[in-house]
Amino acid sequence: MMGWSQLSALLRILFLGIFPVLSAPVLASTIELQLHRAGESRSTDCPVKAIAYQTPKPYQEGGYETDGMVSLQEIATQISVAQTDPFSVTWIGTLKPQFQNCQATAGMTSIDGQPNTEHSYLRMQLLNGKAHFILDMTGMQDANGFTPVIVYKGMQQANPRWTWGGTD
């Protein structure tokens, strides 16, 4: 005969096996984009980095989606979607006065503190007083060899927000 503690442990194992999404919270990944000044940049007042966050949505049969955002309002104002297609989106904002002369570029340098050695689908350009933040799925593949698509591209709380996804 099984005791209460053994039964409780067995039920927990069964529950975790049947409902793994419900049993563990999904945490956001922190993505760092390190800024590198362009050789012709006259300004020493460039931001050091930008931080983006991405959170996978709960699993749905046949595909996956990931929500993301970048804290662009720390360096720019008047941010809006400037260019878009099914595979990429560019947000543009006006650099804050202290960064107006900065010319720099950035790509994904780390994810959750680990070096990023994969394709940088998040990029940024600071040029001519503007911040260009780019989400680009070009060259990426999901498990079936398809290019992931951008499902949502917009603004929330004065920062760029997106959702991208693919098939599994």
Side-chain angles (χ1 to χ4, degrees), residues 2-69:
M2 194 178 295
W4 175 248
S5 63
Q6 292 171 320
L7 180 60
S8 176
L10 179 62
L11 288 174
R12 263 194 318 271
I13 290 168
L14 287 173
F15 182 81
L16 291 175
I18 296 170
F19 302 107
V21 172
L22 297 176
S23 62
V26 178
L27 301 176
S29 292
T30 301
I31 301 170
E32 185 174 302
L33 292 93
Q34 188 76 38
L35 278 133
H36 304 282
R37 288 186 306 134
E40 64 274 0
S41 180
R42 299 172 308 281
S43 175
T44 57
D45 295 327
C46 287
V48 176
K49 62 184 171 183
I51 302 293
Y53 303 93
Q54 289 197 142
T55 306
K57 286 188 173 184
Y59 177 75
Q60 295 178 349
E61 188 172 336
Y64 61 92
E65 289 184 345
T66 300
D67 291 329
M69 69 85 61

Side-chain angles (χ1 to χ4, degrees), residues 68-122:
M69 69 85 61
V70 63
S71 299
L72 198 56
Q73 72 174 344
E74 294 177 15
I75 64 168
T77 60
Q78 302 172 341
I79 305 161
S80 62
V81 173
Q83 181 180 336
T84 182
D85 62 54
F87 309 112
S88 67
V89 59
T90 301
W91 291 265
I92 297 180
T94 301
L95 286 170
K96 289 186 175 180
Q98 65 267 36
F99 304 125
Q100 278 290 308
N101 294 322
C102 178
Q103 291 188 31
T105 63
M108 297 167 53
T109 53
S110 69
I111 301 173
D112 292 332
Q114 299 300 312
N116 178 48
T117 58
E118 302 296 320
H119 177 69
S120 183
Y121 55 88
L122 298 176

